[in-house]
Amino acid sequence: MTTTDTALPSTARMGLSRGWVEILQFFRDRTAVIFSFLFPALLLLLFGTIFADDYDHPGLSAARVFSASMIAYGVVATAFITMGVGIATDREDGTLKRLRGTPVTATAYFLGKLIMVAVLTAAEVVVLLGVGVLFFDLPLPTDAGRWFTFGWLFVLSVIACGLLGIAASALVRSARTAGAVLNVPVVALQFLSGVFIHPITQLPGWMITVASVFPVKWMAQGFRSVFLPDSAVGFEAGGAWEHGRIALVLLAWCVIGSVLCLITFRWTNTRDA
């Protein structure tokens, strides 16, 4: 009798397949679509309408500032919260436990999750830019250099927030409370980081110092540098866009997120271990 060994798909191929499944599952969950995907756009509409003309500055309005700043919130809400909630749910319903007995490797699983959050975050940014352009006359850059800045800023932001979401999932005791638990630091950082309150210089100095430790402040500042005129740099705490510092901070948080994942990640709930 002869046996034929069937080669297993590569990790990359399994990760791509897993990513497609994750995307389909996300859009089948109406609650997730509304609160994780559409909520940032709703907030932008509210903030942009309420504070439409708060700036006495040529070519700049509060609505345009919010349109640029809220991209950072969209990235965090989609990458960090969706990742954290998704893994907490997979852990609680036994998906992670069953995964260990299948050919799907851990690397393929996490690759699938990262593909999902990258695709969803890109779609989130398109929605936010659409709201900014259609409702608040946000001009899109015509300079290739600004789009290059947007590209590396988006990639680093998604990776950092996704890794931190994986690590934060270990703090969640129940999938039912995951969204509430993860939203608390996210919302707090939006106020501290000048996303919901701008110019950020309106905040006390100690708040700006605290915000500077975390990535959201730098993400928002970076996205403002892409979509706002250079004259708006005077509203930043440092009086400059600081692209080099933004890149270093986000790279540092990518490393920190990786380390935290290795330290905190677990395959099962503590009560099931």
Side-chain angles (χ1 to χ4, degrees), residues 50-146:
I50 295 170
F51 304 105
D53 299 308
D54 256 6
Y55 282 76
D56 184 16
H57 189 282
L60 191 66
S61 66
R64 289 185 178 182
V65 173
F66 280 120
S67 296
S69 299
M70 286 292 289
I71 296 174
Y73 176 56
V75 172
V76 176
T78 309
F80 176 79
I81 296 178
T82 301
M83 179 71 84
V85 171
I87 291 180
T89 302
D90 287 349
R91 183 183 293 119
E92 185 168 286
D93 66 16
T95 297
L96 286 178
K97 190 174 183 179
R98 293 192 297 272
L99 178 70
R100 304 184 77 177
T102 70
V104 178
T105 63
T107 301
Y109 170 79
F110 289 118
L111 178 59
K113 286 289 187 184
L114 287 172
I115 289 172
M116 176 194 69
V117 298
V119 171
L120 294 181
T121 306
E124 177 73 82
V125 171
V126 170
V127 171
L128 291 171
L129 288 178
V131 172
V133 171
L134 293 175
F135 292 94
F136 307 122
D137 297 320
L138 178 71
L140 297 179
T142 57
D143 179 7
R146 287 179 179 256

Side-chain angles (χ1 to χ4, degrees), residues 1 18 58 66 75 127 141 149 178 193 196 202 219 226 230 262:
M1 180 181 297
R18 182 73 194 181
F66 280 120
V75 172
V127 171
T149 299
S193 303
F196 294 164
Q202 296 183 50
M219 291 163 57
V226 173
D230 288 334
L262 293 174

Side-chain angles (χ1 to χ4, degrees), residues 79-81 83-85 87 160-170 182:
F80 176 79
I81 296 178
M83 179 71 84
V85 171
I87 291 180
C161 292
L163 290 172
L164 291 172
I166 295 173
S169 70
L182 297 179

